[in-house]
Amino acid sequence: MVLSMYALCLILPYQAAFDMDRKIRGWTQAKNLFIGFFNADIIVNLRTGYYDQTLRTVQLDSWMVAKKYMFHGTFFVDLIGSIPTDIFFLAHWNELVVLREVTSLIIIFRGFSMYSYTHRLATSYDISIGIVNIIIFIGLIFLALHWQACFHYIVPLAVESLGKPKAPDDSSWIAQNMLWGSTPQTKYRSSLFRAVAIFTCSGFNGAPPSTMEDQYLAIIFQVSSVFIMCKMVGAMMQIYKTMNSSSLKYQAMTAQLTQYIRHKQLPVENQQRFMTYHEFRYQHNYFRESEILSTVSSQISQEIGMHSCRKLVENVTFFNNLPMSLLVRIVALLRSEIFLTNDVIVRANQPGDCMYFIASGTVAIYTKSGKEVCHLEDGAHFGEIALVMPDERRVASVVAVEICELYRLERADFTRTIHPYPMLWERIKKIAMERHEKTTILNAQ
């Protein structure tokens, strides 16, 4: 339907305005075939059920379906735009040529359903609404210029005569541009040039409107062009805002942070660290994760958490072979933290109350004496001894070599979660003790 409507909205006004004296009847037959197709579409719409948003049910009652289409849809404009006007001129086919062509232009009323169908088509194929609106606006601008070009030519002819086409008055822009008797292509090219000039308020294609109908057309089209341009600019700004809302929010937040830094008169080094943290945290796109997760079901929220952190947790030795239900609960307890380069994540000899999982970045492990032991990268973990040995102090310091995103698991949360599983708790504690003994021996060496 969209393709058929768009094709007819392009071809019909061109044929009506610039090719009135055509001898071939093939176009007339094709046009009425399209119109019959449009009438069939009306019948289908009167018989097609719809989803009732209020009752949350599919409505199939014939009267309710027809009532919705007639009083809340495009029934009346569809009906007007689908009238086969040619049947009114069968008796005077060759006498009322101009009137016959002018009345056929009521097909423009089908534009409302064409707009509606385009949106429904985009929804069915899950096309981005921003892209759809851009395509629709480009199509509407093109159609508007096309129809204006046709009106610029056919209206002076209709004012001159509703019967057979006659040459317009010498003061008409058609006569001034010597278009009468030229080819349809030449007529259309000049009319389109005039339409574009008036639409953009940049002139009249060398022939200022002197007749009454030309003046009225110029006024109507210039006023409508201003309205369309304002509407288009507003829509494009809305589309841009919608498609880049996250980036725009990030820019606004960055501006706020800059003002905050100036107000606090922070040192240059602190300013750079502050902005680096902000840039890494949001990656030039601002969002509120807590608000986003609050709008989805708990099942989806768990799936997101499992996708992000499951591998990190499973890499821990004493978390192997945990029941999936328990693994899900542990993953839900993880909290993201970001550390900048040279940030001290844990210090040796300090009490430990949590463990860390490295989502991205690299950290360096140092002994109590300050000797660098190794580097840990994406997917690694450290500090797990603190989960099962509350009185134990850290045996090493951990420093961020680069910007790191870590996930933190608190001992209190872990203990509360594992408490209903005493056998698992004893197994985990045993593995942790063995690993702690090995770490102590290596540290002593």
Side-chain angles (χ1 to χ4, degrees):
M1 288 303 301
V2 171
L3 294 176
S4 299
M5 290 176 182
Y6 204 91
L8 198 61
C9 284
L10 287 174
I11 301 172
L12 190 146
Y14 177 88
Q15 293 289 338
F18 306 110
D19 200 16
M20 290 185 182
D21 56 351
R22 56 187 176 274
K23 304 300 182 183
I24 302 175
R25 293 295 180 92
W27 161 244
T28 302
Q29 295 170 359
K31 176 183 69 174
N32 286 287
L33 182 63
F34 272 110
I35 292 174
F37 187 43
F38 294 164
N39 279 286
D41 174 61
I42 294 176
I43 296 173
V44 170
N45 285 334
L46 287 169
R47 303 291 299 171
T48 302
Y50 65 93
Y51 181 72
D52 192 317
Q53 295 284 355
T54 304
L55 300 177
R56 295 184 179 276
T57 57
V58 176
Q59 182 59 258
L60 295 175
D61 182 77
S62 300
W63 165 243
M64 293 300 295
V65 170
K67 182 180 178 181
K68 184 179 187 300
Y69 180 42
M70 287 190 289
F71 299 106
H72 301 284
T74 57
F75 171 74
F76 292 105
V77 289
D78 288 350
L79 187 63
I80 295 172
S82 302
I83 296 174
T85 56
D86 284 352
I87 63 175
F88 302 119
F89 300 95
L90 292 176
H92 306 282
W93 188 266
N94 294 318
E95 288 78 24
L96 299 175
V97 177
V98 177
L99 182 60
R100 185 187 73 218
E101 299 298 336
V102 169
T103 55
S104 69
L105 296 179
I106 62 173
I107 193 70
I108 195 174
F109 284 99
R110 289 294 304 200
F112 294 96
S113 57
M114 181 173 69
Y115 180 83
S116 174
Y117 286 176
T118 303
H119 272 285
R120 286 164 59 181
L121 188 68
T123 303
S124 299
Y125 286 93
D126 197 26
I127 304 174
S128 169
I129 190 64
I131 296 175
V132 172
N133 286 334
I134 291 173
I135 294 173
I136 288 176
F137 264 104
I138 293 174
L140 287 178
I141 293 296
F142 181 74
L143 280 178
L145 291 173
H146 178 70
W147 276 77
Q148 285 184 31
C150 299
F151 276 122
H152 278 302
Y153 193 86
I154 198 172
V155 169
L157 297 185
V159 171
E160 191 67 30
S161 171
L162 290 175
K164 294 183 178 181
K166 294 182 181 179
D169 187 82
D170 291 340
S171 58
S172 172
W173 81 275
I174 297 175
Q176 293 180 38
N177 284 275
M178 296 180 290
L179 295 177
W180 186 255
S182 60
T183 63
Q185 293 78 10
T186 303
K187 296 174 185 177
Y188 177 72
R189 186 169 57 250
S190 296
S191 298
L192 183 60
F193 187 31
R194 183 178 180 84
V196 172
I198 293 178
F199 184 82
T200 57
C201 302
S202 58
F204 302 97
N205 190 19
S210 53
T211 63
M212 183 177 64
E213 62 272 15
D214 284 346
Q215 292 172 353
Y216 278 127
L217 281 176
I219 292 171
I220 292 171
F221 289 147
Q222 283 192 341
V223 171
S224 63
S225 70
V226 172
F227 174 77
I228 291 174
M229 292 299 290
C230 290
K231 190 76 175 177
M232 184 180 69
V233 171
M236 294 300 290
M237 290 179 64
Q238 184 63 36
I239 292 170
Y240 176 79
K241 185 177 179 180
T242 301
M243 298 180 68
N244 299 276
S245 60
S246 184
S247 298
L248 293 174
K249 287 180 181 178
Y250 175 81
Q251 294 174 14
M253 180 58 68
T254 302
Q256 290 184 33
L257 291 176
T258 303
Q259 292 298 325
Y260 175 78
I261 290 172
R262 291 177 180 174
H263 175 71
K264 292 295 183 179
Q265 298 181 348
L266 298 178
V268 175
E269 182 180 354
N270 289 354
Q271 291 182 25
Q272 292 176 348
R273 287 173 56 79
F274 199 62
M275 298 307 295
T276 299
Y277 177 92
H278 177 71
E279 181 178 343
F280 183 85
R281 172 68 178 82
Y282 293 106
Q283 300 293 316
H284 300 281
N285 289 282
Y286 180 72
F287 55 88
R288 294 180 178 178
E289 187 173 11
S290 59
E291 291 185 5
I292 295 173
L293 293 179
S294 67
T295 62
V296 301
S297 66
S298 58
Q299 179 66 31
I300 295 177
S301 180
Q302 288 179 1
E303 290 175 0
I304 294 173
M306 291 296 287
H307 173 75
S308 304
C309 307
R310 178 177 177 178
K311 292 297 183 183
L312 296 176
V313 175
E314 288 180 340
N315 285 340
V316 181
T317 305
F318 55 67
F319 286 165
N320 289 342
N321 302 318
L322 286 183
M324 181 57 65
S325 59
L326 184 58
L327 199 63
V328 169
R329 293 175 63 184
I330 292 175
V331 167
L333 297 173
L334 299 182
R335 296 293 178 264
S336 174
E337 290 189 7
I338 295 173
F339 293 90
L340 303 182
T341 305
N342 295 325
D343 280 355
V344 178
I345 302 170
V346 298
R347 293 183 183 276
N349 291 323
Q350 293 294 318
D353 59 355
C354 64
M355 74 170 294
Y356 290 94
F357 304 88
I358 304 175
S360 65
T362 304
V363 300
I365 309 298
Y366 294 90
T367 63
K368 295 178 182 180
S369 61
K371 179 182 178 182
E372 183 175 327
V373 178
C374 65
H375 282 187
L376 300 178
E377 299 179 339
D378 302 8
H381 59 275
F382 57 90
E384 65 274 18
I385 307 300
L387 294 182
V388 295
M389 302 181 67
D391 298 326
E392 191 66 26
R393 294 180 176 273
R394 301 287 190 185
V395 296
S397 297
V398 182
V399 180
V401 176
E402 58 183 341
I403 301 177
C404 299
E405 182 179 10
L406 309 182
Y407 283 95
R408 176 186 177 120
L409 177 61
E410 295 285 347
R411 180 175 59 234
D413 293 334
F414 175 73
T415 303
R416 187 168 53 254
T417 303
I418 201 71
H419 181 72
Y421 305 89
M423 294 183 66
L424 283 175
W425 170 249
E426 290 299 327
R427 182 173 67 85
I428 290 172
K429 191 173 182 179
K430 181 179 179 182
I431 295 174
M433 293 285 286
E434 291 175 355
R435 179 162 180 170
H436 177 62
E437 291 176 1
K438 292 178 181 179
T439 305
T440 304
I441 294 172
L442 289 173
N443 194 46
Q445 293 176 349

